Amino acid sequence: MIRVTQPPTEPQFVQDPYPFYDHIRPLAPLVWWEDYAMPVSARHDVVAGLLRDRRFGRETPLGLDIPKHLAPFYAVEAHSMLELEPPRHTRLRGLVLRAFTSRRIAALEPEIIALCHSLIDAFSETAFDLLDAYANKLPVIIIARLLGVPEDMAPQLLAWSNAMVGMYQAGRSKQMETAAVEATESFCAFLRDYITERRSVPRDDLITHLIAAEQDGETLTTEELISTCILLLNAGHEATVHTLGNAARTCLMQGLTPSAEQPFVEEALRHDPPLHMFTRFAMEDLSLHGHSFRKGDQIGLLLAAANRDPKVYSDPARFDPQRGAKPHTSFGGGIHFCVGAPLARMEIAHALPILWARCPGLKLAEPPKYADIYHFHGLERLMVAR
């Protein structure tokens, strides 16, 4: 197997990882990324296929060797449907979808529109960070409302989310691990008390509906409820923030006007997505694309690279709002396709067009800079002026 080296924290790569993807894509279906010590793929057909290949999964068949100081964090992961395989995944996802319905998501649309306008009303008259003032606040407030937790908890939810997702970043430090564990313990304690309250005093919110969800006599345990709420916050918030920021950056730099139409939304998700790598484990010994996998071996699916495969998308580096509908991999695929995709699409469809309509003179106040957070991909800040 062809071996390549590319430190994921190298400043040039952090600011623009796409040249590396373009370099490795034609080399082979799979290449060995030395820095991660595993094979990866940058090809759309391979990535899309592996997302649906049941010979690979998110849950290692060999079990994890968890350091004692990280046990609280992985205790939550142990009940997260994103990290599980059937039959536990099937049961959890089915129960969650009974509460997280398309009707419930659609009912949020007027709130999303009103919140966009409210946040814009509060913009500074001088240069400000669009991420802090808008992109960060919108999804976390909506999720707070969806879950039914007090809206004034949004800053705390955001702080917990940011600390916890640090566990997935390249080059994480002991300090980041400590912060993630502290955030996990605080978030779990809050949710445990809140779930107990909701069992006694139900309301019309997602936590109450998750408690009530039942399928074939099965309900969610308290630990599963906690993990599900944390997953909905962390995955839903992080992805939407980065998508909004990245797409706003592209529009500002290229003089584009966002649209609420589906082609624009899908292009925003394809062109510069929030998650660049999705890892999976081989569930059995097998051979694929000339490589022999042993049970428990890991593989990296480079979602953002697949989204710019020239065999699927013509002129793939160009943001084309009129691009014909073609499948992208930004929401994953197969049984782990993102349950929050409809909500994310709705937020993107309203947030950017409303922003441009309300602030037609919006412009960059300084060159945008991406944060060192791989395998996520999002801006450190986005300074703008009206």
Side-chain angles (χ1 to χ4, degrees):
M1 181 179 291
I2 296 173
R3 293 175 176 261
V4 296
T5 299
Q6 173 56 69
T9 57
E10 181 184 72
Q12 185 175 351
F13 175 82
V14 168
Q15 295 308 310
D16 187 5
Y18 295 103
F20 171 68
Y21 301 153
D22 292 341
H23 167 66
I24 67 173
R25 191 182 298 108
L27 297 179
L30 299 176
V31 300
W32 186 270
W33 193 346
E34 295 279 12
D35 305 85
Y36 279 97
M38 66 179 172
V40 300
S41 180
R43 296 186 180 181
H44 188 280
D45 60 339
V46 177
V47 169
L50 282 167
L51 285 170
R52 293 164 176 79
D53 192 330
R54 298 306 308 133
R55 296 175 299 172
F56 292 85
R58 288 288 293 173
E59 186 176 8
T60 172
L62 303 182
L64 290 173
D65 184 14
I66 299 170
K68 185 177 180 180
H69 72 286
L70 296 179
F73 178 85
Y74 285 102
V76 171
E77 296 277 280
H79 299 288
S80 171
M81 63 182 174
L82 180 62
E83 308 300 335
L84 297 175
E85 292 299 308
R88 289 187 67 199
H89 173 272
T90 306
R91 171 182 162 274
L92 270 176
R93 190 176 176 105
L95 287 166
V96 169
L97 288 176
R98 283 180 173 266
F100 199 56
T101 62
S102 56
R103 179 189 61 81
R104 183 166 297 278
I105 294 169
L108 290 169
E109 187 169 23
E111 291 191 49
I112 291 171
I113 294 170
L115 181 57
C116 288
H117 285 287
S118 176
L119 292 173
I120 293 169
D121 288 341
F123 281 177
S124 171
E125 292 300 323
T126 58
F128 62 96
D129 183 354
L130 189 65
L131 297 187
D132 283 345
Y134 195 61
N136 264 322
K137 290 183 178 179
L138 174 66
V140 75
I141 290 174
I142 290 299
I143 287 189
R145 293 177 180 177
L146 180 66
L147 291 174
V149 303
E151 192 170 317
D152 59 11
M153 283 284 298
Q156 182 61 74
L157 296 175
L158 180 59
W160 285 335
S161 175
N162 288 339
M164 292 182 72
V165 298
M167 286 290 292
Y168 306 108
Q169 294 172 19
R172 78 183 190 215
S173 64
K174 183 66 176 294
Q175 183 179 8
M176 292 169 67
E177 292 180 346
T178 299
V181 169
E182 290 175 352
T184 301
E185 291 177 325
S186 297
F187 201 176
C188 287
F190 166 74
L191 284 172
R192 192 175 300 278
D193 290 343
Y194 209 78
I195 288 166
T196 299
E197 179 186 333
R198 278 291 169 272
R199 290 189 192 278
S200 301
V201 186
R203 294 184 182 175
D204 186 19
D205 56 40
L206 186 59
I207 288 180
T208 299
H209 286 272
L210 285 169
I211 291 170
E214 182 178 344
Q215 188 174 44
D216 299 327
E218 292 276 352
T219 58
L220 294 167
T221 67
T222 298
E223 288 71 24
E224 289 169 344
L225 283 165
I226 290 171
S227 293
T228 298
C229 291
I230 290 176
L231 173 63
L232 291 174
L233 170 70
N234 292 355
H237 170 263
E238 290 293 324
T240 306
V241 169
H242 296 326
T243 302
L244 290 174
N246 296 353
R249 168 197 174 273
T250 298
C251 289
L252 288 167
M253 294 186 71
Q254 299 185 16
L256 301 172
T257 299
S259 164
E261 298 301 315
Q262 184 180 6
F264 176 89
V265 174
E266 298 307 313
E267 183 70 348
L269 288 161
R270 178 204 72 86
H271 179 260
D272 200 15
L275 178 63
H276 276 215
M277 183 193 290
F278 191 66
T279 55
R280 296 175 70 93
F281 294 96
M283 307 304 285
E284 60 188 61
D285 294 349
L286 62 103
S287 293
L288 185 72
H289 300 299
H291 179 70
S292 295
F293 288 88
R294 299 295 300 272
K295 183 178 180 179
D297 284 353
Q298 204 169 17
I299 186 171
L301 308 183
L302 301 179
L303 307 180
N307 283 351
R308 293 202 183 187
D309 190 332
K311 289 187 176 180
V312 178
Y313 310 99
S314 61
D315 196 6
R318 182 169 63 92
F319 189 103
D320 180 7
Q322 303 306 316
R323 191 181 297 276
K326 290 185 178 180
H328 58 72
T329 61
S330 300
F331 287 125
I335 66 169
H336 288 293
F337 185 81
C338 177
V339 296
L343 178 58
R345 285 183 164 115
M346 184 185 295
E347 289 175 333
I348 296 163
H350 290 298
L352 294 175
I354 290 173
L355 175 63
W356 254 251
R358 290 285 309 276
C359 304
L362 198 68
K363 59 185 178 182
L364 291 171
E366 66 176 44
K369 183 180 180 182
Y370 285 98
D372 183 7
I373 54 173
Y374 198 82
H375 50 245
F376 297 104
H377 186 63
L379 296 166
E380 192 173 273
R381 61 181 177 271
L382 185 58
M383 296 300 296
V384 298
R386 294 197 280 173

